[in-house]
Amino acid sequence: METFIHAYSWIDIRFLLQGLWVTIYVSLISIALSFVIGIILGFIRYVNIKYVSAIVGFIIDIIRNLPLLLIIFFTYFGLPELGLVTNPTVASIIALVVFEGAMVAEIVRSGIGAVDPGQMEGARSNGMTYMQAMTHVVLPQALHKMVPSLLSQFVSLVKDTSLATIIVLPELLYHAQIIYGQNSTYLIPMYIIIAVMYFIVCFSLSMFANHLQKTGW
């Protein structure tokens, strides 16, 4: 018990909270960007634009079948070789957006495909253009159907930020490693507290998504 009391000193908790903020910061930016990119790529795949959709689909399939850790390594160690200098935060965001954007694109494509084709036909018969019908009728219904899958993917994204500790991103797990690296008896207390912090963040995200569904968003 004394070990836990010392491990959870205000200095250590504040240090962990700094890491948690980096985790949340990287997650929020990655979620926003991957969502936008995923919608665009998913739409391109769905509408089946000649050649373009096939190329986009091929790239998405490649990314989806690569380990996220490999993409993180490439963005941090590979991009500088191409003249693109990155730091751990930027490299982590790029890697997460590329990987999660591909995942979201497939969710979007499936979500649009799940909408009754009659919705598009009805909108077109009322004088809407294809893009107007897609934007105002089909896509809103598709997004509502996608919420559970998108939530699951974004929760995974939050947890996947811990992989970036390998490139020294100063996120939650990395800060915990520093603490128990100085005192090995803090190992279990640190794992417990970071598990609680991850749970709070991911559970809050789940509650937010449930609220959106209940309000009919």
Side-chain angles (χ1 to χ4, degrees), residues 163-181:
L163 293 175
T165 190
I166 199 71
I167 60 171
V168 202
L169 176 71
E171 45 77 57
L172 180 57
L173 182 59
Y174 181 75
H175 278 217
Q177 289 175 338
I178 291 177
I179 293 174
Y180 67 68

Side-chain angles (χ1 to χ4, degrees), residues 40-115:
I40 295 173
L41 296 181
F43 177 75
I44 291 174
R45 289 210 67 184
Y46 176 79
V47 297
N48 196 25
I49 303 172
K50 189 175 182 179
Y51 301 125
V52 176
S53 294
I55 294 172
V56 169
F58 179 69
I59 294 173
I60 288 175
D61 286 339
I62 291 176
I63 294 173
R64 290 175 63 234
N65 288 284
L66 291 177
L68 175 56
L69 192 58
L70 176 62
I71 298 176
I72 292 174
F73 275 136
F74 177 78
T75 56
Y76 187 65
F77 297 108
L79 291 183
E81 295 296 321
L82 301 176
L84 301 174
V85 180
T86 62
N87 57 46
T89 301
V90 174
S92 301
I93 292 173
I94 292 174
L96 288 168
V97 169
V98 168
F99 186 76
E100 300 297 335
M103 297 297 187
V104 171
E106 281 302 291
I107 294 174
V108 170
R109 183 181 67 84
S110 299
I112 295 175
V115 176

Side-chain angles (χ1 to χ4, degrees), residues 133-145 217:
M134 181 62 70
T135 303
H136 300 293
V137 178
V138 177
L139 197 55
Q141 294 181 61
L143 286 173
H144 185 71
K145 295 177 181 293
W217 184 85

Side-chain angles (χ1 to χ4, degrees), residues 2-9 12 175-191:
E2 185 176 347
T3 298
F4 279 80
I5 293 175
H6 288 288
Y8 298 151
S9 66
D12 288 342
H175 278 217
Q177 289 175 338
I178 291 177
I179 293 174
Y180 67 68
Q182 297 173 343
N183 189 331
S184 60
T185 62
Y186 291 174
L187 179 63
I188 293 179
M190 286 299 105
Y191 280 153

